[in-house]
Amino acid sequence: MKALTFKPKFFSCLKNYNKKTLTSDIMAGIIVGIVALPLAIAFGIASGVSPEKGIITAIVAGFIISVFGGSKVQIGGPTGAFIIIIYGIIQKFGMSGLTIATFMAGVFLILFGLLRLGTIIKYIPYPIVVGFTSGIAVTIFTTQIKDLFGLTMDTVPSRYQDTVASEFVEKWIAYFQHMTTADLWTTVIGLVSIVIIAITPRFSKKIPGSLIAIIVMTIAALVLKNYCGITSIETIGDRFRINSELPEATLPAMSWEVIKSLVPPALTIAILGAIESLLSATVADGVIGDHHDSNTELIGQGIANLCTPLFGGIPATGAIARTMTNINNGGRTPVAGIIHAVVLLLIFLFLMPLAQYIPMACLAGVLVVVSYGRSGWRSFLMLTKNPKSDVSVLFITFFLTIIFDLTVAIEVGLIIACLLFMKRMAETTDVKAILDEIDPNDETDLKLENNEHLLIPKGVEVYEINGPYFFGAGNKFEEVMAAFGDRPKVRIIRMRKVPFVDSTGIHNLMNLCTISKNEGIKIVLSGVNPKVHAVLEHAGFNALIGSENICPHINVALTKAKEIVDSMPVKE
């Protein structure tokens, strides 16, 4: 097995680093830091924690992912993908439970990297990724309706207050029941924020629309409150106490019972973080023409998630939007990501108290735009035109995400995808009987002159396995042999198109050989590739049928079969 090499891109990029690259990285880092600010605040609040915890996550995780990650341009921090699962953990286990779950997710991510699972994770079926991504987007949108319209509601229905399956539906029922309580000015601020974010890219590529919306709407809210007497507009300061001091590193007490109960959500955080970060790194590779180290990236993500909860942070991963902003503004090394973390730290230390004036409706508008961007509705619609099995996985994952939760959606989605994959693999494998003669025009391993047809001797049956011979295709031999009815003297099993065989396939072949032996029928194997041959030899096939009966190709197998038939006594 190839040894793991942990080589963060940060250290290799420093070898040929120069002043020009530093200037580009500084500019990109400053811009990305400004872009990350409103998102970090919004993601923190939406996740059920105070706004400064979102920024602390962006600072700590952003720095560590840039230093220890496997991508040159990856920007790490809190993302919308974690909002729903973080909120659920806090509701059920409290902040201490979230801290432990995030810490455990960091351990899982490091194990993924050490076990070299970086490449494997990228092969999670696309319908599952689109299904839970779209489901997350719908759920994020659903959670923002109250703040977007300023609805007067005592409580918003939660799956942890009532039945699990009814939470999504109950939320919307409650929203419609309380829609008459919507506040006009709050609604205006929320909707105008969405419009500003949507039109900003038309006239500004550098300054993010979310930042412009927050600045404009914060000023508007201050004017409306202080000069127009409108006090119904809720701000961050009305709901949270802003703290601009870096907390001391602490880790809550852990018990075995709590750890066991947090394994599923922690594993979900790790899988989701791995998918998100590797997808972001892959997209970035295509833009800058580089190749990230997926296993190093997972270890870097794991270290980040080990450290952020110590300072009260939430789960973090690579963020596609911020990574692309980094690239588009000239960032080409991890130094840009470090600068982005430093910029956020300075804002946190000196400007954080100003965040109390930001309207909640404006942050809701930011998250509505984020949910639209994450929805991937075009990909969703395209997948509905694919085979029914893929469509089934897509819709099951989507509806499980919005009706139950992400943990259930990923678990069930992966199980269904695996079952469908095994079904498709079984369908690609078939066992056929070859009667009378073999046509050389259909063969690749025959050594014949003048393209003459190869006759099958009397008393010999030839079967061919096409495709992997595993547990999904185990009964196909019996079905084909049952069609013959008579009992041959020799059965030739061609295996030239068998790339691998599993334990069930070996078991079925051994049973066939044993039954045939008891019936006085010889078994000859033909065209076994070296890897499969080694597996069969290790399983004891040489002793069972004789090494001389495992032939390199059909010519030798037919000759061997004829010799066996000729050597058998003729029944009178």
Side-chain angles (χ1 to χ4, degrees):
M1 182 177 177
K2 188 177 179 181
L4 173 69
T5 55
F6 176 59
K7 293 183 178 180
K9 291 286 186 176
F10 172 72
F11 301 102
S12 60
C13 287
L14 292 180
K15 293 179 181 178
N16 299 314
Y17 204 69
N18 54 50
K19 185 177 179 180
K20 181 180 178 182
T21 307
L22 175 62
T23 303
S24 297
D25 285 341
I26 290 175
M27 291 303 299
I30 292 173
I31 294 172
V32 176
I34 294 172
V35 170
L37 176 65
L39 294 175
I41 293 174
F43 291 149
I45 292 175
S47 299
V49 300
S50 56
E52 70 267 14
K53 293 188 184 300
I55 298 182
I56 289 172
T57 303
I59 294 169
V60 178
F63 180 85
I64 293 174
I65 288 171
S66 293
V67 173
F68 296 106
S71 169
K72 289 182 179 180
V73 293
Q74 183 85 282
I75 301 295
T79 69
F82 291 131
I83 287 176
I84 308 307
I85 190 168
I86 293 173
Y87 184 83
I89 293 173
I90 293 174
Q91 293 295 309
K92 194 171 184 179
F93 300 98
M95 276 302 301
S96 61
L98 175 63
T99 300
I100 296 171
T102 306
F103 193 86
M104 291 169 62
V107 174
F108 284 135
L109 282 164
I110 292 174
L111 288 176
F112 290 168
L114 293 176
L115 295 174
R116 307 182 64 83
L117 298 180
T119 303
I120 296 175
I121 289 174
K122 291 189 289 187
Y123 292 110
I124 289 178
Y126 187 57
I128 291 181
V129 176
V130 174
F132 71 64
T133 300
S134 299
I136 289 169
V138 172
T139 310
I140 292 173
F141 175 75
T142 300
T143 61
Q144 299 309 304
I145 299 301
K146 178 180 180 293
D147 288 338
L148 184 66
F149 296 104
L151 303 181
T152 302
M153 301 173 64
D154 294 332
T155 58
V156 178
S158 168
R159 60 169 53 94
Y160 299 101
Q161 297 168 349
D162 199 358
T163 57
V164 173
S166 63
E167 183 260 350
F168 176 79
V169 176
E170 284 188 354
K171 259 192 174 72
W172 281 102
I173 292 174
Y175 289 151
F176 284 116
Q177 289 175 343
H178 292 83
M179 194 56 71
T180 54
T181 67
D183 180 72
L184 174 62
W185 290 107
T186 300
T187 303
V188 169
I189 286 178
L191 296 180
V192 172
S193 297
I194 294 173
V195 172
I196 291 174
I197 298 170
I199 66 174
T200 296
R202 297 182 181 180
F203 57 84
S204 175
K205 300 295 183 183
K206 299 288 186 181
I207 304 176
S210 56
L211 183 64
I212 295 176
I214 283 178
I215 293 173
V216 172
M217 290 299 102
T218 299
I219 294 173
L222 286 172
V223 170
L224 290 171
K225 274 192 168 186
N226 297 327
Y227 297 100
C228 301
I230 298 172
T231 59
S232 59
I233 302 172
E234 187 179 23
T235 64
I236 290 178
D238 295 329
R239 190 178 297 182
F240 300 97
R241 178 179 173 273
I242 304 296
N243 186 359
S244 60
E245 296 180 0
L246 285 174
E248 295 182 0
T250 57
L251 186 64
M254 298 185 187
S255 68
W256 179 240
E257 290 301 318
V258 172
I259 291 175
K260 285 195 299 182
S261 63
L262 286 170
V263 168
L267 191 58
T268 301
I269 292 173
I271 294 174
L272 193 59
I275 294 172
E276 188 103 343
S277 63
L278 295 182
L279 177 61
S280 175
T282 302
V283 171
D285 286 347
V287 178
I288 67 173
D290 190 53
H291 295 286
H292 73 280
D293 184 327
S294 58
N295 295 307
T296 297
E297 180 66 19
L298 290 179
I299 294 174
Q301 299 284 341
I303 296 172
N305 282 283
L306 282 178
C307 296
T308 51
L310 300 180
F311 298 94
I314 59 179
T317 185
I320 296 178
R322 276 159 275 174
T323 297
M324 291 306 299
T325 302
N326 181 36
I327 295 171
N328 293 336
N329 287 280
R332 287 297 180 271
T333 77
V335 173
I338 295 173
I339 298 296
H340 132 272
V342 172
V343 169
L344 285 172
L345 176 61
L346 294 174
I347 294 173
F348 177 78
L349 293 175
F350 300 107
L351 300 177
M352 192 61 191
L354 297 177
Q356 64 181 313
Y357 302 111
I358 299 174
M360 294 299 298
C362 181
L363 289 180
V366 170
L367 288 173
V368 166
V369 176
V370 168
S371 65
Y372 175 81
R374 289 195 62 89
S375 65
W377 61 272
R378 293 181 180 85
S379 299
F380 195 100
L381 291 178
M382 287 180 63
L383 280 173
T384 58
K385 301 174 183 177
N386 284 8
K388 291 182 180 179
S389 56
D390 287 341
V391 176
S392 300
V393 172
L394 173 70
F395 278 104
I396 289 172
T397 308
F398 174 76
F399 284 112
L400 285 176
T401 301
I402 63 174
I403 295 176
F404 290 89
D405 61 37
L406 197 57
T407 303
V408 174
I410 291 179
E411 290 173 351
V412 175
L414 284 174
I415 290 172
I416 294 174
C418 289
L419 291 174
L420 289 172
F421 172 75
M422 289 185 286
K423 179 176 179 292
R424 288 173 182 170
M425 287 288 289
E427 289 172 350
T428 63
T429 302
D430 71 293
V431 178
K432 66 178 182 179
I434 304 175
L435 306 174
D436 301 328
E437 59 184 28
I438 299 174
D439 185 353
N441 296 316
D442 298 330
E443 308 300 317
T444 58
D445 64 341
L446 292 181
K447 297 181 180 179
L448 302 176
E449 296 179 358
N450 301 322
N451 287 334
E452 75 272 17
H453 285 211
L454 196 60
L455 298 178
I456 298 174
K458 187 177 181 180
V460 177
E461 290 179 356
V462 178
Y463 300 91
E464 180 159 16
I465 307 174
N466 295 304
Y469 194 57
F470 68 120
F471 63 91
N475 296 326
K476 294 193 175 183
F477 243 125
E478 288 81 350
E479 295 171 2
V480 175
M481 286 193 301
F484 272 90
D486 57 342
R487 184 177 297 177
K489 296 179 178 179
V490 180
R491 286 185 176 127
I492 297 176
I493 303 175
R494 301 186 72 186
M495 301 182 67
R496 59 184 181 140
K497 295 180 180 178
V498 179
F500 70 86
V501 58
D502 72 351
S503 298
T504 305
I506 292 172
H507 175 74
N508 288 339
L509 281 176
M510 293 190 79
N511 274 350
L512 174 64
C513 293
T514 302
I515 293 171
S516 298
K517 185 177 181 180
N518 293 336
E519 294 177 344
I521 302 171
K522 295 286 186 179
I523 295 292
V524 176
L525 302 183
S526 168
V528 184
N529 74 48
K531 288 184 179 180
V532 175
H533 192 171
V535 172
L536 296 180
E537 184 179 0
H538 185 72
F541 266 79
N542 285 8
L544 183 61
I545 66 174
S547 57
E548 70 280 3
N549 292 326
I550 302 178
C551 305
H553 54 79
I554 191 63
N555 306 65
V556 178
L558 288 171
T559 302
K560 184 66 182 177
K562 192 173 186 308
E563 291 176 357
I564 294 172
V565 171
D566 292 343
S567 65
M568 288 183 175
V570 179
K571 294 182 180 180
E572 296 182 359

